[in-house]
């Protein structure tokens, strides 16, 4: 067997060991999306509208 076959055989054996592996796993913790700002703004709009109605219905309530 000629000498140049030995490196080729060794590369053929070692090459599959060098292939990268990719693992797809679920995260340990769930993804959390924080929407507190939007909810807070909606609540303020509803309170402001309700307050305007109460002031319009009963102006003496706040001394106006």
């Amino acid at each position: 067997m000629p000498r140049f076959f030995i490196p080729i055989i060794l590369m053929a054996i070692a090459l599959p060991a060098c292939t990268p592996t990719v693992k797809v796993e679920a995260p340990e913790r769930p993804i959390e999306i924080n929407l507190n700002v939007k909810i807070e703004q909606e609540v303020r709009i509803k309170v402001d509208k309700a307050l305007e109605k109460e002031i319009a219905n009963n102006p003496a309530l706040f001394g106006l």
Side-chain angles (χ1 to χ4, degrees):
M1 183 180 285
R3 286 183 165 223
F4 64 88
F5 280 126
I6 294 173
I8 294 173
I9 292 172
L10 289 176
M11 285 179 51
I13 293 171
L15 190 61
C18 296
T19 57
T21 56
V22 178
K23 293 182 180 179
V24 178
E25 296 178 0
E28 292 178 10
R29 295 176 29 209
I31 298 172
E32 181 178 331
I33 300 173
N34 192 350
L35 298 175
N36 290 338
V37 175
K38 182 177 179 183
I39 293 172
E40 184 177 326
Q41 289 174 350
E42 288 178 5
V43 169
R44 287 184 182 172
I45 291 171
K46 290 178 184 176
V47 170
D48 288 343
K49 288 181 181 179
L51 186 59
E52 287 176 5
K53 287 180 183 178
E54 287 300 319
I55 291 173
N57 290 340
N58 191 0
L61 185 64
F62 293 100
L64 298 175

